[in-house]
Amino acid sequence: MWMEARRCVAENKKNMRFPALENGALAARSLFVPDCEHFPLPGADGRNHEIYVHVPAVEPPPGGFPVLYLLDANADFLLVVETLRRLSRRPRASGIHPVVVVGIGYPDGPDYDLDRRYEDFTRGPPEISDAGWQASTCYGGQAAFIDFVENRLKPFIRATFPVCERRSALLGHSLAGYLVLDWLCQRPQSFRAFLAVSPSIWWGREAMLARLAKPKAAFDGRFRAYLTVGQWEEEPAPWQSDLSANVSYTSLRRRRAMIGNVRAFSEHIGEVYGDGVTVRCDIEDGGEHSSSLITCLPRALRFAFHDGD
């Protein structure tokens, strides 16, 4: 079906006639995204990550632009960049100023390289053993991935682009949101803001809580944490009638406890760090897992970078 649709598109182009085009052939061109570039960057193991960078086409502020590090860049880089581009046109109205975006993805990935994603974002298999995630044996590479970002990517970005690392944030959705929070538990000094959207806390909740409780050396305790989850992430939404009829899937959602985990984890962060941390927890009215990143972006960006905070 898909190949037939592609053939029809090609045939329609061939049959169209425009005076300015020779032989009636349309000259198709790839879309160009302004102020963006991407390039491979190898880690210590020799494997490349594909790095996507957006630098605003305006004069950098004194000290450089704030910088947003984005996980799952193959899937989410353009969404985040275009949201920022639109909102930062009128920063006095939106509360959002131009920001450099550094996306971390994988070569040749249309959306997700699932095996490398599971490997990079996790310490091991999930605590919920029958969680319904796609089967994979690639777990446990989280420490190497964090080391790549801290010791390879960040120094490269500082040396190459006009950024202010003191005003940096890390953003991730779903399993990447789980990594954002696990990163916070281990190295809260790494970013000024941690933005976890629909985080899969269920993957390693108890281990994360244990790491969160450990004292952190040489850290002044000042950072910001934003956690958000959709209203319909523990129960099927009204438009998901096919999922409502699936008893095992409905049970899975309840066991993952997306909303309960986000609420509880937000409270734990505040209890551990006290007045040094600013925590915001949003339950997105009408939201579900696949839409949560789209709907929360303005609030998350404002929370991370607003000049008045």
Side-chain angles (χ1 to χ4, degrees):
M1 181 67 73
W2 181 84
M3 290 301 295
E4 178 63 18
R6 295 282 292 183
R7 188 194 65 75
C8 289
V9 169
E11 189 65 26
N12 288 339
K13 284 183 178 180
K14 188 184 301 182
N15 294 332
M16 296 173 80
R17 295 292 183 266
F18 294 92
L21 298 174
E22 280 191 331
N23 301 321
L26 285 176
R29 299 185 304 275
S30 296
L31 292 174
F32 171 73
V33 183
D35 313 319
C36 296
E37 59 185 289
H38 64 102
F39 48 86
L41 190 66
D45 59 3
R47 293 191 302 171
N48 284 333
H49 286 276
E50 194 71 10
I51 305 303
Y52 300 75
V53 179
H54 161 71
V55 179
V58 297
E59 190 69 22
F65 291 109
V67 55
L68 175 68
Y69 287 88
L70 170 68
L71 304 170
D72 286 331
N74 298 71
D76 299 330
F77 179 75
L78 291 180
L79 168 66
V80 172
V81 167
E82 290 305 320
T83 301
L84 265 168
R85 198 195 307 276
R86 174 170 289 273
L87 292 174
S88 63
R89 288 173 187 164
R90 300 179 61 210
R92 291 179 61 187
S94 68
I96 295 173
H97 292 259
V99 172
V100 167
V101 181
V102 178
I104 309 164
Y106 304 104
D108 304 319
D111 281 312
Y112 302 106
D113 182 327
L114 289 175
D115 282 343
R116 287 194 64 182
R117 189 173 186 255
Y118 285 131
E119 181 177 1
D120 285 348
F121 295 174
T122 69
R123 287 170 167 261
E127 291 176 356
I128 297 180
S129 59
D130 58 342
W133 37 270
Q134 183 169 334
S136 173
T137 57
C138 301
Y139 305 119
Q142 185 196 95
F145 179 74
I146 291 177
D147 181 74
F148 165 77
V149 174
E150 296 285 8
N151 298 313
R152 181 79 173 103
L153 178 59
K154 281 186 174 183
F156 178 83
I157 295 298
R158 284 195 300 267
T160 311
F161 301 99
V163 300
C164 175
E165 275 286 336
R166 291 184 299 100
R167 302 192 64 205
S168 66
L170 178 66
L171 170 63
H173 170 258
S174 193
L175 189 60
Y178 157 78
L179 174 59
V180 167
L181 295 180
D182 208 6
W183 207 316
L184 181 159
C185 292
Q186 302 168 64
R187 303 190 187 195
Q189 71 278 13
S190 290
F191 301 93
R192 182 173 184 267
F194 294 83
L195 313 175
V197 182
S198 294
S200 301
I201 294 172
W202 54 267
W203 187 283
R205 181 179 184 273
E206 298 309 314
M208 284 172 61
L209 288 173
R211 287 190 284 277
L212 179 66
K214 290 183 178 179
K216 309 299 185 295
F219 175 57
D220 64 7
R222 298 189 63 80
F223 65 89
R224 304 168 69 76
Y226 178 79
L227 291 79
T228 186
V229 66
Q231 172 189 357
W232 299 109
E233 296 207 40
E234 289 188 6
E235 301 285 344
W239 58 87
Q240 295 173 334
S241 57
D242 56 330
L243 297 181
S244 300
N246 186 328
V247 176
S248 62
Y249 188 78
T250 302
S251 173
L252 170 64
R253 283 195 171 192
R254 292 170 182 162
R255 283 183 285 116
R256 284 181 173 178
M258 296 287 288
I259 296 172
N261 276 331
V262 161
R263 282 178 169 152
F265 211 85
S266 300
E267 294 173 1
H268 286 305
I269 295 170
E271 291 167 358
V272 169
Y273 286 100
D275 295 337
V277 61
T278 302
V279 183
R280 175 168 175 170
C281 175
D282 284 343
I283 311 301
E284 181 73 34
D285 187 33
E288 45 80 39
H289 195 74
S290 60
S291 68
S292 56
L293 181 62
I294 299 168
T295 53
C296 84
L297 269 177
R299 289 192 308 277
L301 295 169
R302 199 175 292 119
F303 177 86
F305 298 120
H306 192 275
D307 287 342
D309 295 329

